[in-house]
Each structure stands twice: as C-alpha cells, then as structure tokens.
Amino acid sequence: MRAISYTRATDVPAAVAAVTSDPGSSYLAGGTTEVDLLRLDVLRPHRLVDINRLPLAGIEDRSDGGLLVGALARMSEVAEARAVVERFPMLSQALLLGASAQLRNMASMGGNLMQRVRCSYYRDPESACNKRVPGSGCSALEGVHRGHAILGTSEHCIATHPSDMAVALVALDAVVHVEGTKGSRTIPVDDFFLLPEDTPEREHPLTPGELITAIEVPPVPMARRSLYLKVRDRESYEFALASAAVALALEDGVIRGARLALGGVATKPWRAHRAEDILVGERADVDVFVRAAAAELAPALTRPMNGFKAELARRTLVRALQTVAAQGGGTA
Ligand code: SF4
C-alpha cells in the first residue's frame, strides 16, 4: 500500500500553487475516474489536492444566449439546468446518457473533460501501454480492440475517447477556461484534446498545475433543436460504440449551417468538418446525409475487431441528421 497525503484547497490560487509546485500531486474533484485508477495503481500521485470546496460550481446563464459553466458543477445539475435543456439539448442529452445517476451526481464538468481512456490495457499495470508507460508498446493493436478508435489513431495508441459530454461541447465550439500560476487563459475545446500521434501520454495542452475553472458555451441558435444520439451495447451505463451530436440550421429545406461531432469512434471528440462542408448549401435529404457521413468516415482505419464501427458511425450520423431535419432544425 502507498501512502497518499491529502489537503483541501481553500481558493483557486492556493490550489494552483500547491499542484504546480509539487509535480507528484494531483487535483481531486468528483473522483469518479481518478479514485478507480488510484486503486488500480495506474495513477500514482503522492498528494491529492481536494478542490471540491472552490467556488467553481455555478451555472451562469448569459444574456447573449451563452452559458458559463463552472468546472465543479456536477453533470446532473448541468443536464437539468433549464438553459441547457432549452438551448443546448444535445448537451443535456449527452450528459444524461454519459453516466449512471449516481456518477452524474458526483462527477464534475471539469473532471469529465479530464477523464482517462477506458482501454483495458491502460487500466492494467501488467500490460504494455504507451499512454501509461511511454515507449512500452500498445497491447490493443494485436489484442482485444472491438471498442477502440477508427479515426485519429496512431501506431502508438488507438484508445477511444470516452466522453459523451465532450462530443456535444466540440459541436458547440465551447471554450475551456484554465488558471495557472502565470494567469488565466482560454482553450477552444477542440484544441483541448490532443491526438495521440507520437505522444499518447499527452492528452491535453495543459501545463503542469493548470486548473480548469469553467467551460464557456457560446450562443448557438441552431442548437435549440439539436440531438445527441448514442449507440451502445446495452441501454444503460455503457460507453458509446458510435454517437453523433447534430444541430442544423434549416431555411426552406436548405441547410444554412451544421454543427456535427462524433463520439465512440475516435481518439478525441471528433468534429465532423468534412460532413459539415458537404451539407451546407444543400437540401436536407437523405442522399446528402449519406454522402456527408461517408465522407467523414472515409479516413477511418479499422482493425479486425472494430471494422463494424465505420458503418455503425455512418448510420448513426445519418439517423441523427434525419431526426433533426424531420423536427425542422433550428435557425442560423
Ligand atoms: Fe495504451 Fe492506447 Fe494502446 Fe490502449 S490503445 S494499450 S491506452 S497505448
């Protein structure tokens, strides 16, 4: 057994200073992933800095139609917030589909962004895993990889990004607010998740000790009738095999704007720019939906056990597009 010391931070600067000055320490928020990984001996900090009492749990409804969600707001609170349900239903749906009720009550928004991959080899200290031990190899390449990614992979890691919430945030062009010892800065959420490339151990562009303080969701009028569609092996408490966050701006049956992202198939929440580019300016019908989905999945690199995911993701995206279009979409 390893000893881990525990301190409770009283304000943001003190929390940031504590973790920045001590590379062996980590923040502790909801702990719904982190505590599992401590028990498995995958994460090995010698000190935890509990941030749960920092004043970062607010949900600020902004007059321009956007939102500022504190990093410590719980998933369940955000999913049920009226502004989220009415203006960003894809985000509410992704939060509700993302975890069990117990986990949603405990897990924080910032922690959701920082959750680690669910690759079984990552969670097993006996297995080779470049993400856990850089340079050790990737057991999933020749191992069991039915749930692994087909987009954004590298020869060093093919782990699927696990978050549903982040898929909606990527489609909404959310922005992550962080605080470090040199001050605060913002990071577009699409840039917050790094592709594995040659350094799968580096998942975010944070400097040591930087703390997520808030997530800003800008006004997106078309998102009022948006959808998060998740396909999984069972109907509760399971990661996505494929998912799609979809918002369309429709005018007389013509697509004037599209916000699309995929989950369950890529190494990061996957903004579907190729599909968006094909859709905008076209009439909203199934032929163009199929063409857009095929283009987005064209670069997919499948392996023996996960080849089904390319077709599943295509169909998931088409079905989500059809559903949103049938509801009349939103306004640009
Ligand atoms: Fe590790 Fe990534 Fe390979 Fe899984 S897929 S074993 S997380 S390197």
Side-chain angles (χ1 to χ4, degrees):
M1 184 182 292
R2 282 184 314 110
I4 302 176
S5 66
Y6 170 91
T7 55
R8 181 177 283 152
T10 52
D11 57 52
V12 170
V16 170
V19 174
T20 305
S21 64
D22 181 356
S25 58
S26 295
Y27 295 115
L28 176 67
T32 53
T33 301
E34 190 174 9
V35 172
D36 283 353
L37 295 176
L38 292 173
R39 289 184 174 136
L40 291 168
D41 213 23
V42 170
L43 299 180
R44 311 195 75 204
H46 66 76
R47 178 169 67 150
L48 292 175
V49 177
D50 187 335
I51 57 172
N52 282 294
R53 295 199 184 168
L54 299 184
L56 300 174
I59 304 172
E60 184 186 327
D61 190 357
R62 292 189 150 173
S63 57
D64 65 358
L67 287 174
L68 188 69
V69 180
L72 291 174
R74 304 294 148 167
M75 288 173 66
S76 51
E77 295 166 349
V78 180
E80 291 159 13
R82 188 169 170 184
V84 178
V85 173
E86 289 182 355
R87 299 209 296 270
F88 307 101
M90 67 159 69
L91 178 56
S92 176
Q93 293 156 9
L95 285 162
L96 292 173
L97 292 168
S100 67
Q102 293 92 335
L103 289 172
R104 292 198 300 272
N105 287 337
M106 196 68 198
S108 68
M109 295 292 282
N112 189 305
L113 292 180
M114 295 298 291
Q115 68 179 294
R116 312 306 296 267
V117 296
R118 295 313 197 281
C119 173
S120 57
Y121 303 108
Y122 172 77
R123 297 165 75 88
D124 170 19
E126 302 298 315
S127 296
C129 171
N130 287 322
K131 194 179 279 295
R132 181 169 30 74
V133 181
S136 63
C138 172
S139 299
L141 292 174
E142 302 299 327
V144 176
H145 50 247
R146 176 176 178 270
H148 284 66
I150 57 174
L151 292 168
T153 58
S154 80
E155 60 182 318
H156 303 292
C157 182
I158 58 171
T160 305
H161 193 275
S163 176
D164 295 291
M165 176 194 89
V167 178
L169 291 176
V170 164
L172 294 168
D173 278 339
V175 173
V176 183
H177 291 232
V178 303
E179 184 87 21
T181 51
K182 294 180 179 164
S184 55
R185 66 181 177 125
T186 56
I187 306 168
V189 71
D190 199 18
D191 297 337
F192 186 78
F193 300 102
L194 304 179
L195 292 170
E197 298 183 326
D198 293 336
T199 54
E201 73 280 7
R202 189 156 185 266
E203 298 181 332
H204 310 288
L206 297 174
T207 58
E210 270 191 314
L211 174 68
I212 301 172
T213 55
I215 300 166
E216 183 179 350
V217 185
V220 184
M222 76 176 85
R224 275 187 172 268
R225 291 198 190 149
S226 58
L227 174 71
Y228 185 73
L229 178 62
K230 178 174 181 177
V231 178
R232 47 191 167 172
D233 279 326
R234 55 182 183 185
E235 266 308 298
S236 72
Y237 194 38
E238 185 57 276
F239 295 100
L241 290 170
S243 69
V246 168
L248 293 175
L250 296 178
E251 193 179 295
D252 299 328
V254 176
I255 301 166
R256 298 299 180 198
R259 298 292 191 89
L260 313 176
L262 298 174
V265 289
T267 52
K268 60 179 277 185
W270 193 259
R271 183 69 180 264
H273 286 298
R274 288 171 182 239
E276 289 178 3
D277 290 345
I278 288 172
L279 292 176
V280 173
E282 298 283 343
R283 291 203 71 77
D285 63 40
V286 69
D287 290 343
V288 73
F289 296 161
V290 168
R291 187 154 52 88
E296 195 61 51
L297 273 298
L301 182 60
T302 62
R303 295 172 193 279
M305 294 180 197
N306 67 4
F308 72 98
K309 278 194 166 192
E311 182 61 22
L312 186 65
R314 277 192 285 270
R315 293 183 186 206
T316 302
L317 181 53
V318 170
R319 198 168 108 206
L321 286 163
Q322 286 180 296
T323 304
V324 171
Q327 293 168 351
T331 53

